Amino acid sequence: MPLTPLPELVEELLTGCHPLPIVSAGVAVLRQPALPYDGQLSDGQLERLLRAMRETMHHAPGVGLAAPQIGVPLRLAVIEDPAEVAAEVREARGRVPQPYRVLVNPSYEPVGDARAAFFEGCLSVPGWQAVVSRPERIRLRGQDEAGRELDEEFTGWPARIVQHETDHLDGVLYLDLAETRSLSSAQAVDDHWSQPTPAAAARALGFPLPGEHGARGRQGAHDAL
């Protein structure tokens, strides 16, 4: 945890360059469970931090950003996905537009046994992607930025975004969950594995998909989170 008090750490960050610098894998803040948010920041400072996180997410670009990715060890994340993708990719991913959302102290649990495997990227692991099998449907609990309770289900790609960002708050990177034989440079994915599903990549690179483990699941494409 930081030696600098959190309000001072955040203020220093907010008065620096914008968009905010994104922390890369190998920095300890990405590998430590974040602190529950319980009002450590003033309302105004929290609002400014979330606004800066959204700006940084858009600039990257990505569809989610967790506070540890900018060096702030608090259980805060933002998500937003216009889902501007081809129809066949939208169908394969179960990807639908997600409005801007703030997740405070989020947690999730699977709903059912269905899993989906997709190439996944991360703003903190630039230049690389790998296939990750995740629950296709989840239940999210937490709060929003105003302290209102959240308790809702997500499916498809929105469920993947929520899981990816919440994992960051537990010190988990997508690489921890990935099929390691699928690890590919972003360029290789663009050149060879840009199909809506990773089936061809699985055959060529030699990694299993959910159905091969006896679980139900759809497979799809990739995006940075």
Side-chain angles (χ1 to χ4, degrees):
M1 291 300 104
L3 298 177
T4 304
L6 281 166
E8 294 181 23
L9 175 67
V10 169
E11 195 60 36
E12 181 178 347
L13 186 67
L14 293 175
T15 55
C17 64
H18 287 249
L20 305 175
I22 294 176
V23 174
S24 295
V27 178
V29 70
L30 291 175
R31 289 311 205 169
Q32 299 166 348
L35 295 168
Y37 182 74
D38 60 5
Q40 292 96 329
L41 309 178
S42 69
D43 289 348
Q45 196 174 42
L46 176 62
E47 181 181 355
R48 291 165 57 215
L49 175 62
L50 295 172
R51 186 165 59 244
M53 289 176 61
R54 186 184 188 189
E55 174 194 8
T56 301
M57 174 180 63
H58 287 169
H59 182 267
V63 295
L65 187 72
Q69 291 182 276
I70 54 165
V72 177
L74 287 172
R75 295 189 69 84
L76 302 171
V78 296
I79 64 174
E80 185 174 10
D81 183 14
E84 295 172 347
V85 295
E88 61 179 356
V89 175
R90 183 180 306 114
E91 175 63 23
R93 297 183 184 183
R95 186 169 178 179
V96 295
Q98 287 297 298
Y100 171 66
R101 300 278 302 267
V102 175
L103 307 181
V104 179
N105 299 325
S107 64
Y108 67 85
E109 60 185 27
V111 176
D113 297 326
R115 299 185 70 85
F118 294 80
F119 269 106
E120 201 169 304
C122 180
L123 299 177
S124 291
V125 190
W128 297 93
Q129 295 171 18
V131 171
V132 182
S133 174
R134 293 187 182 274
E136 189 174 42
R137 178 183 293 270
I138 61 162
R139 182 179 183 182
L140 167 72
R141 292 185 176 92
Q143 298 86 42
D144 66 10
E145 65 273 36
R148 294 180 290 257
E149 292 296 321
L150 302 176
D151 187 346
E152 56 190 283
E153 292 189 6
F154 289 78
T155 62
W157 198 258
R160 180 167 297 264
I161 297 173
V162 170
Q163 291 173 78
H164 183 111
E165 301 309 328
T166 303
D167 286 351
H168 271 303
L169 306 179
D170 294 326
V172 174
L173 296 179
Y174 83 98
L175 292 173
D176 301 330
L177 311 174
E179 293 289 349
T180 55
R181 292 183 67 93
S182 73
L183 183 64
S184 306
S185 69
Q187 188 62 57
V189 173
D190 286 342
D191 290 345
H192 304 293
W193 314 127
S194 59
Q195 303 91 348
T197 80
R203 289 192 297 270
L205 301 179
F207 61 88
L209 294 174
E212 297 167 7
H213 290 302
R216 294 177 294 122
R218 288 203 309 265
Q219 297 82 44
H222 64 277
D223 208 340
L225 301 165

